[in-house]
Amino acid sequence: MAFSADELRVLRRALAVALHPAPLQDEDVQDALRLAESVEEAVREAGRLRAFLLDDLARYREALPGSLSGYLELLREALAAGYDPAADDLAALRALRRDPAAGALLARCQSLAERSVRARLARVTQATATPVTGAPRPRLLALPGGRAAGDEPKPTPPTPAERPVPKPSEVFPPRRRPVPPPPPEERVAS
């Protein structure tokens, strides 16, 4: 994200006020609000662009092997934008690894996927570790959008244990075979 000279001026003033509190003029407040709206719009647009790119990537992946060059190009763009390759991407690249470009991209995606899994495991391990002091962590109630002390989450009702797990054949019924067309002798001319 790039800021214009005016936006940088507004940002610099807002940071100066944050570091050294002082009364703000109405013009400064309006400038800061406009800058915040611009940043929020840019973030929303980046999210829309990312969703479009990932949908496009999925369409190309489904059309493989015929869309190999387009798929590899889109996957490179997605990786450059911070996308963690999914299991579907790794499976598609493994199937296409005879192509030198797909083989090279497979090696890159495998290392990125491994790094991503290790990072997630580290976060989970860190989150489940007990604090050294033994005291519970304080809740952040002063942040905008946070819950007040009286707004405790409602407990979810327990799910009944008697509910049986459906069999795969119940969830995914067998496919019916298509009926072949009748031979030309049996067709009636209309």
Side-chain angles (χ1 to χ4, degrees):
M1 179 180 290
F3 291 104
S4 70
D6 288 336
E7 290 171 333
L8 284 175
R9 179 183 49 81
V10 171
L11 187 59
R12 198 175 296 124
R13 277 191 312 213
L15 288 173
V17 169
L19 292 173
H20 305 287
L24 288 174
Q25 297 177 2
D26 289 340
E27 180 183 329
D28 291 340
V29 172
Q30 293 302 319
D31 288 343
L33 290 174
R34 277 193 296 275
L35 178 61
E37 288 173 7
S38 296
V39 169
E40 287 175 10
E41 178 58 32
V43 168
R44 283 192 298 273
E45 184 61 30
R48 285 191 293 269
L49 182 61
R50 179 178 172 84
F52 175 78
L53 177 66
L54 295 180
D55 287 345
D56 213 17
L57 183 65
R59 281 192 294 277
Y60 273 79
R61 184 176 48 239
E62 290 170 6
L64 286 172
S67 63
L68 177 64
S69 62
Y71 173 70
L72 295 178
E73 182 181 333
L74 282 174
L75 184 56
R76 281 188 199 103
E77 287 179 26
L79 293 173
Y83 172 69
D84 285 332
D88 291 341
D89 296 312
L90 295 173
L93 290 171
R94 282 188 195 107
L96 301 166
R97 70 175 130 209
R98 289 187 180 162
D99 182 80
L105 201 53
L106 173 62
R108 180 177 172 200
C109 286
Q110 284 175 329
S111 67
L112 288 173
E114 183 178 331
R115 190 178 312 144
S116 174
V117 167
R118 288 177 190 254
R120 282 187 296 217
L121 284 174
R123 282 193 301 265
V124 167
T125 304
Q126 187 179 24
T128 58
T130 56
V132 177
T133 61
R137 292 183 182 175
R139 294 180 63 199
L140 299 174
L141 299 176
L143 294 176
R147 286 195 296 255
D151 296 341
E152 292 298 320
K154 296 178 183 175
T156 57
T159 56
E162 301 86 34
R163 184 174 160 218
V165 176
K167 296 180 210 168
S169 61
E170 296 171 341
V171 177
F172 304 104
R175 294 184 182 174
R176 297 191 177 158
R177 297 179 190 239
V179 178
E185 301 88 39
E186 296 180 13
R187 292 185 193 160
V188 178
S190 19

